């Protein structure tokens, strides 16, 4: 009989690619993870992982078991959801991980909605960049992620997750007031190819959006400054340190003295935001109202 707990460990190792990283995500010791993997191999009668200098990788047998693991764990999530519904679980805490502007745009309004529609549900919010929140959901550190699409992100049909689209927003060009294109109604990205750029750090999904948009415009951006705080990005642009692309919602309520904000000419780069939960958990009586409130906040 295969223990479901060991399947969860197998998936964590596959996701993180090292025993040490999987152990840290699961709050276990590396030796405990190794012992559980060994026990799982004994239960299945197959070697499931191969260890090397760069970490571990699944064997073909491990990949076969992983494909079933995703289905099994999703079904267990559904079972927990149905049991909670049977027990009329109308009170409890749901932890939501989201990036800063996502918190302002949809999470905070959802918290306000739930205070009146589902007062028994307490939301605990954690600030996490768009690429960090999905692993937190998979590692069961949080229940809900508000994340953005980025290169390398789990696809919408990933068997481990259920995606709920929330909203999409364009990036606007931010240039110093004295910039040669400051008077333009719209700014073609190709005309910024020789400028210095200000951007979030590599790894931040918004950095990927900037790089891809510039590549599509025919150039590689020359990054002079990096910050994950868009207030800092705008302040640097106001200091004539470079130009930037910033999500429109991040500019709301910001001091824009010293900069000009213009739409991008043509097809604007876009940030697509969605909520994600472990597949099967979307019907949980605590999680379902949270997803609904996030969707209503996004529509509003």
């Amino acid at each position: 009989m295969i223990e479901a707990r060991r399947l969860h460990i197998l998936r964590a190792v596959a996701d993180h690619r090292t025993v040490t990283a999987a152990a840290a995500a699961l709050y276990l010791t590396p030796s405990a993870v190794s012992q559980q993997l060994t026990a799982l191999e004994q239960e299945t009668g197959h070697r499931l992982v191969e260890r090397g200098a760069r970490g571990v990788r699944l064997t073909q047998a491990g990949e076969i078991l992983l494909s079933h693991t995703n289905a099994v764990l999703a079904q267990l999530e559904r079972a927990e959801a149905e049991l909670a519904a049977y027990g009329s679980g109308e009170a409890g805490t749901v932890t939501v991980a989201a990036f800063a502007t996502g918190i302002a745009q949809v999470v905070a309004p959802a918290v306000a909605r739930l205070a009146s529609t589902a007062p028994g549900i307490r939301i605990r919010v954690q600030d996490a960049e768009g690429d960090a929140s999905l692993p937190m959901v998979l590692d069961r550190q949080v229940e809900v992620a508000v994340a953005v699409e980025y290169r390398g992100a789990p696809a919408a049909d990933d068997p481990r997750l259920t995606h709920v689209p929330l909203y999409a927003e364009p990036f606007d060009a931010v240039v110093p007031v004295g910039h040669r294109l400051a008077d333009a109604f719209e700014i073609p990205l190709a005309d910024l190819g020789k400028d210095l750029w200000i951007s979030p750090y590599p790894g931040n999904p918004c950095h990927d959006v900037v790089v891809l948009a510039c590549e599509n415009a025919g150039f590689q951006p020359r990054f002079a400054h990096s910050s994950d705080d868009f207030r800092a990005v705008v302040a640097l642009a106001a200091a004539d340190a470079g130009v930037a692309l910033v999500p429109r919602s991040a500019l709301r309520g910001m001091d824009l003295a010293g900069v000009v904000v213009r739409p991008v000419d043509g097809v604007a780069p876009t940030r697509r935001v969605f909520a994600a939960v472990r597949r099967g958990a979307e019907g949980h009586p605590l999680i379902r109202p949270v997803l609904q409130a996030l969707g209503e906040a996004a529509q509003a």
Side-chain angles (χ1 to χ4, degrees):
M1 180 72 70
I2 299 175
E3 288 193 18
R5 176 169 55 99
R6 291 173 182 153
L7 293 178
H8 182 62
I9 290 174
L10 177 70
R11 188 164 79 177
V13 170
D15 287 343
H16 294 280
R17 302 187 183 279
T18 69
V19 168
T20 300
L26 298 173
Y27 300 102
L28 297 172
T29 64
S31 61
V33 169
S34 295
Q35 289 170 6
Q36 293 299 318
L37 287 175
T38 298
L40 184 58
E41 290 179 329
Q42 292 173 348
E43 288 175 344
T44 61
H46 291 279
R47 186 179 182 185
L48 302 174
V49 298
E50 292 180 346
R51 294 169 174 81
R54 296 184 178 180
V56 298
R57 69 177 186 86
L58 297 189
T59 63
Q60 186 173 354
E63 293 287 355
I64 291 172
L65 183 57
L66 180 64
S67 67
H68 291 284
T69 292
N70 292 326
V72 168
L73 294 182
Q75 190 59 41
L76 287 174
E77 292 281 358
R78 294 187 188 98
E80 290 181 7
E82 288 189 20
L83 287 171
Y86 176 77
S88 65
E90 297 176 352
T93 300
V94 176
T95 304
V96 179
F99 56 100
T101 51
I103 293 173
Q105 187 84 350
V106 292
V107 177
V111 170
R113 288 172 182 270
L114 289 167
S116 59
T117 61
I121 298 178
R122 177 176 175 268
I123 302 298
R124 182 170 175 264
V125 180
Q126 292 188 14
D127 191 327
E129 289 300 333
D131 59 333
S133 57
L134 295 179
M136 294 170 72
V137 167
L138 291 171
D139 293 333
R140 304 182 73 87
Q141 297 172 7
V142 302
E143 285 72 51
V144 181
V146 174
V148 299
E149 293 181 1
Y150 60 93
R151 286 190 282 190
D157 60 353
D158 189 295
R160 301 168 298 172
L161 296 166
T162 293
H163 284 59
V164 179
L166 293 178
Y167 64 93
E169 62 173 330
F171 282 62
D172 289 326
V174 178
V175 301
V177 291
H179 193 273
R180 64 188 182 280
L181 297 175
D183 293 332
F185 179 72
E186 294 180 331
I187 294 182
L189 282 185
D191 291 352
L192 299 176
K194 295 183 179 180
D195 288 84
L196 295 177
W197 281 76
I198 311 158
S199 169
Y201 284 100
N204 186 312
C206 289
H207 178 87
D208 288 345
V209 172
V210 173
V211 171
L212 184 60
C214 292
E215 288 176 351
N216 289 338
F219 68 94
Q220 292 284 340
R222 295 187 299 150
F223 294 116
H225 309 283
S226 299
S227 176
D228 287 333
D229 187 334
F230 286 116
R231 289 171 298 181
V233 170
V234 170
L236 286 167
D240 203 17
V243 299
L245 289 174
V246 178
R248 187 165 293 171
S249 66
L251 295 168
R252 293 174 184 164
M254 192 181 295
D255 181 6
L256 299 177
V259 299
V260 171
V261 178
R262 294 288 185 264
V264 172
D265 184 32
V267 179
T270 301
R271 173 164 72 172
R272 291 176 174 82
V273 181
F274 61 92
V277 298
R278 292 181 296 276
R279 181 155 295 192
E282 61 274 9
H284 193 287
L286 294 179
I287 294 176
R288 185 177 60 251
V290 174
L291 293 176
Q292 182 178 347
L294 290 170
E296 291 172 350
Q299 291 176 5

